[in-house]
Amino acid sequence: MDVSQNYGLTVLYQPNRISETSSGPLHTVFDLVAVHGLNGDALGTWTHTQSQTMWLRDILPTVLPTVRVMTYGYNASFKNFTAQQDIRSISAKMLTELVDLRKTEEEMRRPIVFVCHSLGGIIAKKALLLGVSGEQAKVQDAVYGVVFLATPHNGSNIATCGKIIANIVTACSPLNPAKRIIGALQKDSKVLLEITEDFVAKLSSLQLVSFFEMKMTNLGFYKTLIVEQDSAILHVPNEVVIGQNADHREIARFDSLHDRNLRPVLSRLDVFRLDIINHLHSIASSRSATEELGTISTPAVFEIPFPPCNTFQGREVLLNRMETFFHASPAPMSGQLTFAICGLGGSGKTQAALKYATRNRDKYQSGVFFVTASSEPSLVANISRICESLKLGNVSNKVSAFKAWLSRADNTDWLLIFDNADDLESIRIAQYFPDTSWGHVVVTSRDQGVIGNVTKDGAVLDRLGLEEAIAVLLQKAGYLSPSAEDYEEAKMIVELLGCLPLAVDQAGAYIRSRRKTLTSYLRLYKDRQNDVLQFKPRLGEYDNTVFTTWEINFEQVERDSKEASMLLFLFCFLDSSNISETMLDRACSPQKRWDRAGEMSELTPMDAGLNSDLIALVKDEVAFDDAIEKLLSFSLIHLDNDVNGLRNFSVHPLVQHCASQRFPSSLQDQWRLQAVLIVCHAFPRNNYLDPFYGDLGRSQLPHVLRIVKEYDRLAEPETCPTSVKYQLSSMLLAASRFSTTSWKREAIDRVKQLLQDSDDAYLKVCLAQRESSLLRMLGKRALSNKTLEEFIHSTVLPGYDQLLEGDARWNALRGELILSFAENLIENDALTIARLELLQWKPINPGSPSSVERIVLRGRNITWGKILKYQGDFQAAVEVLDAVLQESKIDSFYEGTGWRRVLLSNLADLYCELQRPADAQSLLEPEYRKMIDSRSQNISSGRRIQLTLAESYIRSGAYEKAEEILSSLATVYGTIDDPDSLAERGIFRVWASLARIAHVRGCWDEALLNWRKASSALQILGRPNHSHYGLVQHAMAHALAKLGRMHESSEAAAKAKDLLSSGEHRYWIVGFDSYWRDYIIEGKDQGLHAS
């Protein structure tokens, strides 16, 4: 594309309609002109490289429809930025084009806002400094504000300024090394320094916003901040300074409306818009109303008690939703429109309503009215004040008079806000709405029942977004130019405060008023949380502290509903989010466990130690719903629906803290223990007892992490009943199968501590089996074996002979240990010994094994089939595994389990080895679809299914399908922070499979690259001397030879020969150790469809 085609002004958006349903011209508030920088482009500078979103064109018009958007392009070569004449000509040309575009009287008076990236700010500043007259001078006078995006305003001297420009040259022209031009820059950048000095001297009333980059830009061999914070700031009184979590290139590009870095840019532009509108209103007050605002017979009343706080951030989704609701549907056909903003006290409901009112003030020509609705007297008093503003005279019934005024046909464009309408039972707020088919009503309330019952629509405010909360804290605390360290500490603070607007705002006030640093506040909050949360700024905008803002609600809940109070107290000790109705119901219902006979039995919640009143409440649907409704009426909890139509509840962390701190520690410990028991009883134990084991376990894991901490907070955890320790240990062993390796280690270490003085044989064997499995997954086979040694070769543990004799559950546990030991032997290539170990175990009654013993038998046969597969006896292995599959079909609980997926994967491996890829696909594809539906395809067993499915596609020549799966898996494996040996093996299989595809296609460069990645994966796996490494080296030698790199090929071939000449041939990885080995070593094309 010829970039010169974008030179000059290009109009990207022109406001052209009053609304979607009218055809008249839309009043344009200001003209926005975007100016790119060095080596930039009028379009490309502002276009996100991945999403191809050009935010000036694609996003800005939808957010600010009354702003005309333009971009200015010019020859942005490096020399133009270090030569006075070229900068002058570019700037003068921009002024001339603006003159040509702005022809009408209204356009010539219209304000201009520049948005400048990097050195584009130099062009804008120079344009304002040029000595011009006439129409160009009018353009200069019309400039209202400038938004600078990483513009280098200054350096400490010319050399420093030159270094900054050199960084920009390197960032924008990586092929042009900065070292060769640094000398010239130290001389010529004097031009840029002088422009900044002159600009600062002539600022006057210009509105300025300077954004600076907080991420280093990758320059190839190193990373650096291109324009550091100090240089990106003009250091003048009226300047707004904002840090962006972006590098020098990203700071001007945004991928979507939800890009966190876009929000502050849009926010500042919206501030410009509102300020300009307010200025026009002040001008209009001295002229006739029809001349400037032209539709109402009296000046519009704007009755709000105070403007939105100056730290207001975010809530764009809510504000956009309100604007769509109120202004997108054609009134009066839709009737009076009513909207509720609900949420927890301190969540910013009032501020959101005020923000909506101020930014949409120009749409309400009849007036904006704000009424405090916390009580009947305050309602009447506020309406009386409004009547006086409207000069309605000395009427006896002010409420009726105000409603009558709103009902007049010449007063249709009004906004009425009822704030703090929390007591909806005592105050029937709808009685104060005028009976009209026009007008807009906003109600703010803690009671979420207002939505749908009082108002037509509404939204429940959640906590602030992380970036918005950080911005509020830093601004309130007075950190106008935060460093990267300040940003990280602010992030930790707002996360502790749960991003609650009230808490974040008061934290900032605390830091500023008491001259604290972010570091000292963080320390103080952790040490003295209660004291800090009770702080109230002397001159603050809020009447309550964090601690007192909910106190009246807590008291009312206790007074009105014992059941709601009970639930709230329980919720205080669970994870703050995703408290599912499913988990609560499971906790208060009997759960399946294995008995000594090896059959399923039930453990009741009473036997598990749960509170009888709590059980009765959860199982009584009506009483439970009443309690939930009471908590929702104060927004003390938040409600979401889960995928099954059941409900999920969440509680803000500060509500949890404040509610729990109101009671003595003994009562706190009672409910802390109940929370522990709730999670222990509800958590699924395994696939066979709980058909939805995986989904349930993953969803409840956050609560497991929380109750472990709560157990530690018990006044005397060591004195807990043995039954509690037993349940906690049993649950942790089940939970140790989920999540990260570090969590699995922590869970097992926790169980060791809990069982330190225990003589429970069952749990100790379960612990040994789980620890052995984890150690094996981590590649620590010797330690894994050592863990099993004291259990393996005895039928029962010493001292338990009589107690455990004939115990089918115990026998099954011993069988599990033998399976673990056999897996270790397999890992050490001791296949024959492993097979003999497997034969040592049998059910107590082989002719009629118990249910739990039948499960172990299946596991034994799967392991047996794997041994046959590794030895190359594929047909015998198929017969063993197919028999297991057929037998498993009679048991519904076997569906969807991890073992079934392992079984399917192994059986499909064998079909591939036997040149039956279609059979493999028919086996795996239905399971793969189920996994995608349940979003479980990326767990360990799901990855295993995908690897084998990809192999079946390779075997049948469907390389594109295989590549799609393998590329997705490469991404998934790349997100695993602490991969175990199974994951590391999977990584090797991904790269080796991709390399094979490229290899048989003859794409030698790609093949070589992927073989090297496979080689690296083997090194990490700790198998540099394995036959797999030899096969990889052999394949690399082949690829290198095809590329003509014969010396490297010979070296790789020599390595391969040494590695492949020793050891018995095993078939560890499907295809790779069989038909790929034959193909690459012996040249046999085993259906590989080689090019």
Side-chain angles (χ1 to χ4, degrees):
M1 178 180 175
D2 183 1
V3 177
S4 65
Q5 293 177 3
N6 296 328
Y7 288 174
L9 277 176
T10 301
V11 177
L12 300 174
Y13 168 73
Q14 172 73 57
N16 57 12
R17 287 180 297 157
I18 291 174
S19 71
E20 294 298 321
T21 59
S22 60
S23 56
L26 180 62
H27 174 64
T28 302
V29 178
F30 66 82
D31 284 339
L32 182 146
V33 182
V35 187
H36 64 80
L38 181 67
N39 275 18
D41 170 65
L43 300 178
T45 292
W46 316 100
T47 301
H48 194 269
T49 51
Q50 276 77 44
S51 68
Q52 291 300 300
T53 298
M54 204 282 192
W55 69 276
L56 295 170
R57 179 193 62 214
D58 303 332
I59 298 175
L60 190 57
T62 65
V63 179
L64 300 176
T66 56
V67 175
R68 178 162 64 172
V69 184
M70 296 171 274
T71 181
Y72 179 64
Y74 56 93
N75 183 355
S77 63
F78 165 69
K79 66 179 181 180
N80 293 337
F81 283 99
T82 54
Q84 178 72 278
Q85 187 58 42
D86 285 322
I87 291 180
R88 181 184 181 88
S89 62
I90 294 169
S91 303
K93 174 66 173 171
M94 182 169 67
L95 290 178
T96 301
E97 295 223 6
L98 283 168
V99 168
D100 294 339
L101 186 70
R102 294 157 56 92
K103 289 293 187 184
T104 68
E105 282 295 321
E106 186 275 330
E107 284 179 322
M108 285 189 281
R109 290 198 311 270
R110 186 185 300 161
I112 296 171
V113 173
F114 286 118
V115 175
C116 311
H117 176 236
S118 188
L119 289 167
I122 305 296
I123 301 298
K125 289 190 287 186
K126 186 63 178 177
L128 296 176
L129 294 173
L130 290 175
V132 294
S133 59
E135 292 176 325
Q136 287 189 332
K138 288 183 180 180
V139 171
Q140 288 179 328
D141 294 339
V143 175
Y144 176 81
V146 186
V147 176
F148 295 108
L149 302 172
T151 291
H153 294 302
N154 59 74
S156 57
N157 52 46
I158 293 173
T160 305
C161 191
K163 182 180 178 183
I164 293 168
I165 311 301
N167 280 342
I168 295 174
V169 171
T170 307
C172 299
S173 306
L175 299 179
N176 188 2
K179 287 184 178 179
R180 296 195 305 202
I181 57 173
I182 194 71
L185 283 168
Q186 289 177 351
K187 172 184 171 185
D188 295 339
S189 59
K190 180 178 180 181
V191 172
L192 310 183
L193 199 58
E194 288 173 348
I195 289 174
T196 295
E197 291 170 351
D198 293 342
F199 180 70
V200 171
K202 295 185 179 182
L203 279 176
S204 64
S205 60
L206 206 60
Q207 302 300 305
L208 302 172
V209 182
S210 296
F211 288 91
F212 63 90
E213 61 205 67
M214 297 173 66
K215 275 178 62 178
M216 294 186 177
T217 302
N218 190 342
L219 301 181
F221 296 103
Y222 67 100
K223 293 182 179 180
T224 187
L225 287 175
I226 301 300
V227 180
E228 294 186 358
Q229 177 181 337
D230 191 60
S231 178
I233 301 171
L234 282 161
H235 300 282
V236 292
N238 59 328
E239 179 185 25
V240 176
V241 178
I242 301 173
Q244 289 281 64
N245 188 30
D247 65 22
H248 191 73
R249 304 182 190 107
E250 293 169 349
I251 202 167
R253 297 168 176 170
F254 312 107
D255 67 351
S256 70
L257 176 60
H258 305 295
D259 191 315
R260 293 186 183 279
N261 287 327
L262 176 59
R263 295 177 189 174
V265 177
L266 294 178
S267 176
R268 299 320 303 182
L269 292 174
D270 191 42
V271 169
F272 285 177
R273 180 186 70 85
L274 291 172
D275 288 347
I276 292 169
I277 290 171
N278 290 336
H279 178 66
L280 292 176
H281 275 281
S282 66
I283 294 173
S285 65
S286 63
R287 303 178 183 178
S288 68
T290 55
E291 181 183 4
E292 290 293 328
L293 304 172
T295 57
I296 57 176
S297 57
T298 58
V301 175
F302 189 64
E303 273 275 347
I304 63 171
F306 44 82
C309 64
N310 57 8
T311 57
F312 186 92
Q313 294 281 341
R315 303 305 190 201
E316 280 300 317
V317 172
L318 169 69
L319 295 171
N320 290 337
R321 179 177 169 185
M322 292 175 70
E323 288 166 352
T324 300
F325 174 75
F326 282 131
H327 304 293
S329 53
M333 297 298 292
S334 58
Q336 189 182 91
L337 297 177
T338 54
F339 191 95
I341 304 174
C342 300
L344 181 66
S347 60
K349 301 180 294 296
T350 301
Q351 292 294 329
L354 292 172
K355 186 68 174 178
Y356 170 79
T358 54
R359 95 178 200 176
N360 292 278
R361 173 178 176 172
D362 55 326
K363 297 172 183 173
Y364 295 105
Q365 300 300 321
S366 299
V368 174
F369 309 99
F370 185 98
V371 178
T372 300
S374 56
S375 66
E376 203 89 47
S378 64
L379 253 170
V380 175
N382 275 251
I383 291 174
S384 298
R385 186 196 71 249
I386 294 170
C387 288
E388 292 175 8
S389 298
L390 294 173
K391 298 180 173 54
L392 297 183
N394 190 20
V395 293
S396 59
N397 191 327
K398 304 282 188 176
V399 174
S400 296
F402 179 45
K403 289 170 66 176
W405 187 89
L406 294 172
S407 302
R408 280 166 43 182
D410 57 345
N411 293 329
T412 58
D413 298 324
W414 48 260
L415 171 66
L416 180 55
I417 300 172
F418 291 93
D419 188 46
N420 286 333
D422 299 331
D423 191 359
L424 297 175
E425 294 182 11
S426 300
I427 304 170
R428 300 296 177 179
I429 199 73
Q431 295 177 2
Y432 293 86
F433 297 178
D435 186 15
T436 65
S437 60
W438 57 74
H440 297 164
V441 177
V442 172
V443 178
T444 74
S445 177
R446 297 186 186 190
D447 192 340
Q448 298 173 29
V450 69
I451 302 172
N453 293 312
V454 177
T455 64
K456 292 182 178 178
D457 199 2
V460 180
L461 286 185
D462 203 348
R463 59 189 72 184
L464 275 177
L466 183 61
E467 297 295 331
E468 289 92 349
I470 292 170
V472 170
L473 178 67
L474 292 174
Q475 188 174 345
K476 191 73 174 183
Y479 281 71
L480 299 182
S481 304
S483 66
E485 288 182 2
D486 293 335
Y487 182 88
E488 288 304 316
E489 289 186 329
K491 180 181 176 184
M492 287 189 280
I493 290 172
V494 300
E495 285 176 340
L496 283 173
L497 297 173
C499 296
L500 183 75
L502 171 65
V504 173
D505 191 86
Q506 292 192 351
Y510 188 101
I511 292 166
R512 192 166 196 167
S513 65
R514 302 202 173 183
R515 304 296 189 272
K516 293 287 185 182
T517 63
L518 294 168
T519 304
S520 60
Y521 180 87
L522 197 57
R523 173 188 51 76
L524 195 62
Y525 183 87
K526 292 177 179 178
D527 295 341
R528 305 277 296 275
Q529 184 177 3
N530 289 355
D531 294 332
V532 172
L533 292 177
Q534 292 180 42
F535 167 77
K536 181 176 180 290
R538 185 171 57 87
L539 302 176
E541 298 159 336
Y542 297 97
D543 295 328
N544 295 313
T545 68
V546 173
F547 239 108
T548 59
T549 195
W550 306 309
E551 182 61 29
I552 189 172
N553 297 146
F554 293 151
E555 291 175 354
Q556 200 161 347
V557 167
E558 290 166 18
R559 185 171 60 250
D560 295 349
S561 173
K562 172 191 170 185
E563 292 78 9
S565 182
M566 187 189 309
L567 274 186
L568 179 61
F569 217 48
L570 173 67
F571 288 1
C572 287
F573 302 105
L574 296 170
D575 185 68
S576 63
S577 59
N578 293 319
I579 303 171
S580 71
E581 200 168 9
T582 301
M583 182 181 75
L584 296 174
D585 184 69
R586 281 179 57 85
C588 296
S589 304
Q591 295 302 319
K592 293 183 175 66
R593 301 289 187 263
W594 293 118
D595 61 19
R596 292 188 62 184
E599 303 300 335
M600 291 183 189
S601 61
E602 288 188 338
L603 176 67
T604 68
M606 286 284 287
D607 290 338
L610 269 72
N611 180 292
S612 58
D613 290 337
L614 179 62
I615 298 169
L617 172 61
V618 173
K619 300 306 288 185
D620 184 334
E621 188 174 353
V622 174
F624 183 78
D625 286 347
D626 287 343
I628 291 296
E629 185 177 18
K630 175 59 69 175
L631 296 176
L632 287 172
S633 71
F634 300 114
S635 287
L636 292 173
I637 64 173
H638 191 79
L639 172 63
D640 295 302
N641 289 331
D642 68 17
V643 292
N644 298 315
L646 295 173
R647 295 171 292 187
N648 283 329
F649 312 105
S650 58
V651 191
H652 194 281
L654 290 182
V655 171
Q656 289 182 308
H657 176 77
C658 293
S660 65
Q661 291 301 303
R662 300 174 67 253
F663 295 97
S665 58
S666 59
L667 187 58
Q668 290 181 38
D669 275 358
Q670 287 180 31
W671 283 101
R672 192 170 271 125
L673 192 58
Q674 283 298 305
V676 171
L677 293 172
I678 281 271
V679 176
C680 287
H681 190 61
F683 199 89
R685 289 307 189 263
N686 57 50
N687 287 304
Y688 313 104
L689 297 174
D690 296 284
F692 303 105
Y693 166 71
D695 293 338
L696 289 170
R698 280 183 287 276
S699 68
Q700 293 179 25
L701 191 61
H703 297 290
V704 174
L705 303 178
R706 175 64 184 265
I707 61 107
V708 167
K709 293 178 181 176
E710 295 301 334
Y711 179 83
D712 291 340
R713 292 186 182 122
L714 288 168
E716 296 179 345
E718 64 280 356
T719 63
C720 268
T722 303
S723 61
V724 174
K725 293 182 180 181
Y726 175 91
Q727 290 191 63
L728 187 56
S729 299
S730 173
M731 183 274 294
L732 287 173
L733 286 172
S736 70
R737 297 179 182 274
F738 297 94
S739 193
T740 62
T741 302
S742 60
W743 158 248
K744 292 172 181 175
R745 288 195 192 104
E746 180 186 346
I748 286 172
D749 287 342
R750 283 274 180 175
V751 176
K752 282 183 176 179
Q753 294 172 13
L754 289 165
L755 298 182
Q756 196 167 16
D757 300 320
S758 171
D759 57 359
D760 191 294
Y762 295 115
L763 282 179
K764 287 199 169 185
V765 172
C766 290
L767 173 61
Q769 193 271 333
R770 283 297 304 130
E771 186 175 16
S772 169
S773 296
L774 177 61
L775 290 169
R776 183 171 62 253
M777 283 193 295
L778 295 175
K780 300 177 180 179
R781 292 187 290 276
L783 284 175
S784 179
N785 279 336
K786 185 178 179 182
T787 303
L788 299 173
E789 280 176 359
E790 63 179 289
F791 299 102
I792 285 295
H793 294 295
S794 59
T795 303
V796 293
L797 288 177
Y800 291 95
D801 299 54
Q802 293 181 351
L803 179 65
L804 298 175
E805 187 176 358
D807 189 321
R809 180 176 58 165
W810 171 258
N811 189 48
L813 284 173
R814 182 173 170 273
E816 293 277 9
L817 288 177
I818 289 175
L819 289 181
S820 285
F821 190 56
E823 290 287 354
N824 286 347
L825 291 169
I826 291 170
E827 288 285 324
N828 290 320
D829 199 15
L831 301 184
T832 303
I833 300 174
R835 190 171 176 178
L836 292 173
E837 285 289 340
L838 290 177
L839 294 174
Q840 283 192 18
W841 182 85
K842 60 183 179 181
I844 292 174
N845 183 358
S848 180
S850 65
S851 295
V852 71
E853 288 174 314
R854 282 195 296 120
I855 292 168
V856 178
L857 276 173
R858 288 175 188 151
R860 186 188 72 174
N861 290 341
I862 290 173
T863 305
W864 194 333
K866 284 164 60 178
I867 292 172
L868 292 170
K869 181 181 75 169
Y870 295 149
Q871 291 175 328
D873 196 348
F874 301 138
Q875 188 57 50
V878 164
E879 292 170 4
V880 170
L881 296 184
D882 188 59
V884 175
L885 180 63
Q886 299 309 317
E887 182 187 351
S888 71
K889 290 179 179 179
I890 64 174
D891 294 323
S892 59
F893 60 72
Y894 209 63
E895 285 291 325
T897 63
W899 268 18
R900 185 172 189 275
R901 289 175 182 169
V902 170
L903 171 61
L904 294 178
S905 300
N906 279 289
L907 192 52
D909 283 347
L910 292 165
Y911 287 151
C912 289
E913 297 286 14
L914 294 170
Q915 299 188 43
R916 295 164 56 186
D919 291 338
Q921 290 158 24
S922 64
L923 199 63
L924 298 181
E925 284 174 343
E927 189 71 21
Y928 183 47
R929 287 191 290 271
K930 289 179 188 175
M931 291 191 303
I932 291 175
D933 290 342
S934 64
R935 298 180 182 178
S936 62
Q937 72 271 25
N938 292 331
I939 63 174
S940 180
S941 60
R943 298 193 298 264
R944 177 73 171 83
I945 287 280
Q946 291 182 77
L947 285 168
T948 302
L949 183 57
E951 183 61 38
S952 74
Y953 290 144
I954 292 173
R955 192 66 161 136
S956 60
Y959 295 135
E960 290 78 10
K961 284 186 175 182
E963 284 178 315
E964 183 180 351
I965 291 176
L966 294 167
S967 298
S968 174
L969 281 172
T971 302
V972 171
Y973 280 120
T975 63
I976 301 175
D977 293 328
D978 188 14
D980 56 28
S981 63
L982 286 177
E984 289 169 347
R985 209 169 298 171
I987 294 168
F988 167 72
R989 284 190 61 177
V990 165
W991 293 118
S993 297
L994 288 169
R996 287 158 52 205
I997 293 171
H999 205 111
V1000 297
R1001 283 174 164 173
C1003 303
W1004 304 115
D1005 286 314
E1006 182 184 352
L1008 185 60
L1009 175 65
N1010 288 333
W1011 283 126
R1012 283 179 170 153
K1013 290 180 179 179
S1015 176
S1016 297
L1018 280 176
Q1019 294 280 357
I1020 294 170
L1021 195 54
R1023 296 194 173 183
N1025 300 316
H1026 196 274
S1027 62
H1028 289 160
Y1029 194 65
L1031 281 174
V1032 169
Q1033 288 294 319
H1034 206 296
M1036 288 173 64
H1038 188 208
L1040 286 164
K1042 290 291 185 179
L1043 290 168
R1045 296 159 63 175
M1046 304 310 295
H1047 178 68
E1048 294 174 79
S1049 175
S1050 297
E1051 288 181 343
K1055 287 182 185 177
K1057 183 177 180 181
D1058 291 340
L1059 290 165
L1060 293 171
S1061 61
S1062 59
E1064 190 177 351
H1065 183 194
R1066 299 295 189 198
Y1067 297 87
W1068 299 110
I1069 295 178
V1070 57
F1072 187 74
D1073 289 305
S1074 53
Y1075 42 87
W1076 177 256
R1077 181 187 180 106
D1078 293 342
Y1079 170 75
I1080 199 66
I1081 295 178
E1082 301 177 23
K1084 296 178 182 178
D1085 186 352
Q1086 299 285 339
L1088 286 173
H1089 309 276
S1091 61

